[in-house]
Amino acid sequence: MKLLRHGPKGQERPALLDADGHVRDLSGVIPDLRADMLTPEGLAPLRALDPRSLPRIEQPGRMAPPWSGMGKFICVGLNYADHAAESGLPVPAEPVLFTKHVSTVVGCNDPVVLPQGSVKTDWEVELGVVIGRKARYVSEADALAHVAGYCVVNDVSEREYQLERGGTWDKGKGCDTFGPIGPWLVTADEVADPQALGMWLEVNGHRYQNGSTRTMVFGVAHLVSYISRFMTLYPGDLISTGTPPGVGMGQKPNSIYLKQGDKMTLGIDGLGQQAQTVHAWDPALIDG
C-alpha cells in the first residue's frame, strides 16, 4: 500500500494511492493515519479494503506528512563511503547516529525556510525507514520484520550550524522545515529489496545526487538492529539512513548552498518524488 495524508495543516485527512495512481479517501474508515496504527494489526484492516470501493479524490491539495504522531526521527551520518569522502571524513566503523527534532517534519512539497542568518543550508536525499513493531535488541535477521514501510526524506542541513559552531550535529539538522517526508509511506511488502533503490536530487534542474541504496555502508537490517541496542523503537519512529554523494558542501571547486528561490526536486525508485522551494526566514510559512 501507498498511504498518505493530505490537506492544510491541522486538517489532514488519511488516504491511499491505488494501483492506477488515484488518491482514495480513507477518512470514512479511519480518522487519521497515526503512528500507533502502523503495526501489522493496525494495517491489516486497510489491507483488506478494496481501494475501488473508496471515494476518489480528484484534487487532494497539499501532501502532508504521511502519518502523524512520530515519536523519534533518528538519522545515520556518513553511511555512504563516497559521501564520507566528499565530506573529508573517514568511513565510520559503526553507524553514526544523531536526531532531527520531530518539529522539522513537513510535507513533501512544503516550503523549506532558511533559518535567520543561514549561509550554508544543504540538501540530502535519503531513504526513510518507518518502524512498525516495537524493537528492542532485535537481531539483524529479524530486523526487517519490524519495518512498516519506507519513504523519501530530504535531510536538509545547515552546515555552519552543524560543523562550525561546536557541540553535536543536531543544531544544523533540527531547524524548522528541515525534514520533508513523503509523499507516501510505502508498506514494506511493496519494496522487494530496500538495498536496491535508485535515488536522486536536483536543484534548479541540475542533478547533483544520483545514487543507490546498494552502496550504503550499513544496510537497513543492520541499522534497525544496531539502533535498537541503544533505544527502543516504536511504531511510527523514522530512521533516515544517510545520503549518497553530491551534496552542496561537497561540490568542487567551491561548495554550493541553497538560497531563496531555489527549487529542490528529489525521489527514490517506487517511493515517489518531492519538490520544495526555498524561502527566506518567514515564521508564517512555518506556522501557517
Side-chain angles (χ1 to χ4, degrees), residues 10-157:
Q11 303 176 46
E12 294 90 346
R13 296 163 64 91
L16 60 78
L17 195 73
D18 69 19
D20 297 317
H22 301 137
V23 176
R24 300 283 182 167
D25 186 20
L26 281 172
S27 61
V29 181
I30 54 174
D32 195 7
L33 185 63
R34 304 187 313 270
D36 61 4
M37 299 173 65
L38 299 180
T39 63
E41 298 78 13
L43 292 178
L46 303 183
R47 294 187 191 282
L49 295 171
D50 178 358
R52 294 170 298 181
S53 70
L54 301 170
R56 181 171 162 180
I57 301 170
E58 298 297 340
Q59 295 182 325
R62 170 183 176 258
M63 298 293 286
W67 70 100
S68 64
M70 182 189 302
K72 292 191 283 295
F73 193 161
I74 305 148
C75 298
V76 184
L78 306 174
N79 197 32
Y80 290 72
D82 33 14
H83 171 56
E86 73 174 352
S87 302
L89 296 168
V91 176
E94 294 191 32
V96 174
L97 304 182
F98 61 93
T99 61
K100 289 177 84 80
H101 310 302
V102 294
S103 56
T104 65
V105 174
V106 291
C108 63
N109 302 328
D110 284 348
V112 166
V113 180
L114 298 172
Q116 293 186 19
S118 168
V119 294
K120 294 184 178 180
T121 294
D122 203 347
W123 57 82
E124 295 189 5
V125 59
E126 305 202 0
L127 172 67
V129 178
V130 187
I131 298 300
R133 295 179 192 260
K134 181 179 176 180
R136 180 186 292 148
Y137 291 103
V138 300
S139 69
E140 189 166 338
D142 293 334
L144 294 185
H146 293 74
V147 174
Y150 302 91
C151 63
V152 183
V153 176
N154 189 353
D155 176 18
V156 185
S157 309

Side-chain angles (χ1 to χ4, degrees), residues 95-238:
V96 174
L97 304 182
F98 61 93
T99 61
K100 289 177 84 80
H101 310 302
V102 294
S103 56
T104 65
V105 174
V106 291
C108 63
N109 302 328
D110 284 348
V112 166
V113 180
L114 298 172
Q116 293 186 19
S118 168
V119 294
K120 294 184 178 180
T121 294
D122 203 347
W123 57 82
E124 295 189 5
V125 59
E126 305 202 0
L127 172 67
V129 178
V130 187
I131 298 300
R133 295 179 192 260
K134 181 179 176 180
R136 180 186 292 148
Y137 291 103
V138 300
S139 69
E140 189 166 338
D142 293 334
L144 294 185
H146 293 74
V147 174
Y150 302 91
C151 63
V152 183
V153 176
N154 189 353
D155 176 18
V156 185
S157 309
E158 215 297 346
R159 302 300 189 189
E160 181 191 15
Y161 298 2
Q162 176 189 356
L163 301 172
E164 301 175 30
R165 299 186 63 173
T168 66
W169 289 2
D170 295 22
K171 284 184 286 188
K173 298 286 190 171
C175 303
D176 293 330
T177 75
F178 273 23
I181 61 173
W184 320 301
L185 187 166
V186 181
T187 53
D189 58 293
E190 293 198 7
V191 180
D193 183 358
Q195 304 306 150
L197 301 175
M199 54 205 306
W200 56 273
L201 183 144
E202 298 178 352
V203 180
N204 300 328
H206 179 82
R207 183 158 296 196
Y208 286 97
Q209 293 188 276
N210 198 20
S212 170
T213 58
R214 67 171 52 90
T215 66
M216 283 184 185
V217 178
F218 305 104
V220 171
H222 182 88
L223 292 174
V224 173
S225 174
Y226 181 87
I227 294 168
S228 77
R229 304 177 202 172
F230 301 98
M231 65 194 81
T232 302
L233 298 171
Y234 292 96
D237 286 351
L238 176 63

